[in-house]
Amino acid sequence: MRIAILDDYQNAARDFADFDALAAELNADLTVFNEHLGHEDDVVCAALEPFDVIVAMRERTPFTRARFEKLPNLKMLVSTGRRNGSIDLAAAGLHNVVVSHTGYSPTDAVEHTWALILAAARRLDVELFSAQSPRGEAEPWQSTFGMGLAGKTLGVYGLGNLGSRVAKVGLAFGMRVIAYSQNLTKARATEVGVELVSEAELFATSDVLTIHLKLSDRSTGVVGAKQLSWMKPEAILVNTSRSRIVETPALITAMENRLLRLAAVDVFDVEPLPVLDQLSRTRGLIATPHIGYVTAEQFEMFYQDSAENIRAWAKGSPIRVMGL
């Protein structure tokens, strides 16, 4: 048996779970890929073709129908997290590949959303400096005015598990919290303690607008030039959900034309983000490298569950199997 662990950027898998003991138990060879394999099907499939079992970190490496067809040895695929929109489960079934998931805690993404909101509101992108990097004499001691959140309006686009948690923190800050999504009901908004508004009102009245939609055909590109044009020029847009929900060219244009104050994002169309990507050079962008779920607690759950999934599958009793 050959086992591959993908996209372990920080070489942490072995720190969080004893994969070497697992490999010895199963008489398997273990390979850990620290570098992203890229986006070309031929390159990815050539690297992965020998493996029977693959552990994928979230959506970092998609598994499409075309890729399953080029991986004849693949028998089990573990995806960290509870769902993975970049895995074609129907194709996996056609090729008799068992796909399993791991546990997932939503609190990390909620906390990171608020880290970005606070960083943008207080302009930490400009004001933050490290004690290890002394300020140059030419640097001003203070150069911006922050935005207080109490009394401001927080708009939440999507009031599911994550969105509702983010909304409750906004209420604790003393913010007016409004919400919208296509299927959101007044009863659900009332249950969370927020106001249900229209799409136009969400964008037009929010001082901070944070996106918490699941990526689907319906949500892809749902935030485009029209929606961004409704926003206040002093508003902040936050996206810790999925990049393709917001049309990136429209966001870049809005930022360059100062249609909104700042955008704080943790997700990108291409990851890792290319060095010279236009978005990374856009005025008013605060960005983190998709670390909303990257905590020691989360990764311990991911990798220990992954090892447990592989062990159970090898014994003929797979667990946490993902279905269509």
Side-chain angles (χ1 to χ4, degrees), residues 57-316:
M57 177 54 70
R58 301 294 298 271
E59 291 90 1
R60 290 177 181 177
T61 297
F63 285 84
T64 62
R65 181 176 297 271
R67 290 185 177 180
F68 278 115
E69 291 173 353
K70 294 180 181 179
L71 298 174
N73 295 311
L74 183 60
K75 301 177 183 66
M76 185 192 193
L77 175 63
V78 181
S79 170
T80 57
R82 295 195 183 280
R83 59 176 63 87
N84 189 326
S86 70
I87 295 176
D88 188 329
L89 292 176
L94 288 174
H95 291 274
N96 298 313
V97 177
V98 174
V99 182
S100 68
H101 64 83
T102 70
Y104 174 78
S105 171
T107 57
D108 294 329
V110 173
E111 291 168 1
H112 192 69
T113 297
W114 276 101
L116 287 177
I117 291 173
L118 292 168
R122 292 306 179 93
R123 292 309 308 264
L124 296 189
D125 57 312
V126 176
E127 303 288 6
L128 190 65
F129 66 88
S130 170
Q132 286 72 42
S133 302
R135 296 169 51 252
E137 291 183 3
E139 285 189 50
W141 175 243
Q142 298 174 357
S143 62
T144 65
F145 289 97
M147 179 181 75
L149 297 178
K152 297 296 194 300
T153 298
L154 173 68
V156 183
Y157 199 157
L159 204 61
N161 188 21
L162 292 177
S164 61
R165 291 169 183 255
V166 170
K168 290 176 181 178
V169 177
L171 292 170
F173 271 111
M175 303 182 76
R176 175 197 178 208
V177 183
I178 60 176
Y180 165 82
S181 66
Q182 289 185 11
N183 293 325
L184 181 60
T185 64
K186 186 174 181 179
R188 170 59 178 167
T190 301
E191 177 187 351
V192 178
V194 306
E195 301 174 44
L196 174 63
V197 297
S198 67
E199 180 189 42
E201 185 176 354
L202 181 83
F203 281 88
T205 62
S206 293
D207 297 295
V208 178
L209 196 156
T210 180
I211 296 169
H212 299 285
L213 298 173
K214 294 178 183 177
L215 183 64
S216 65
D217 291 340
R218 188 172 63 181
S219 66
T220 298
V222 74
V223 179
K226 179 176 70 173
Q227 289 78 14
L228 295 172
S229 71
W230 293 335
M231 296 188 71
K232 301 176 182 180
E234 66 272 19
I236 297 168
L237 177 71
V238 180
N239 186 9
T240 58
S241 186
R242 292 294 182 269
S243 179
R244 285 185 288 158
I245 293 170
V246 181
E247 292 181 355
T248 298
L251 177 61
I252 292 172
T253 298
M255 299 294 291
E256 290 178 342
N257 293 332
R258 300 180 182 270
L259 297 183
L260 63 157
R261 183 189 189 203
L262 295 167
V265 302
D266 187 48
V267 287
F268 307 90
D269 292 346
V270 177
E271 297 182 9
L273 190 69
V275 174
L276 297 179
D277 188 270
Q278 186 179 0
L279 183 63
S280 67
R281 295 178 284 118
T282 300
R283 179 209 66 83
L285 179 78
I286 298 174
T288 51
H290 206 160
I291 58 172
Y293 63 96
V294 182
T295 65
E297 294 81 5
Q298 191 85 268
F299 270 49
E300 182 176 41
M301 183 189 304
F302 282 171
Y303 284 128
Q304 290 191 4
D305 283 0
S306 295
E308 187 178 56
N309 289 354
I310 295 169
R311 182 177 287 107
W313 168 80
K315 292 180 178 179

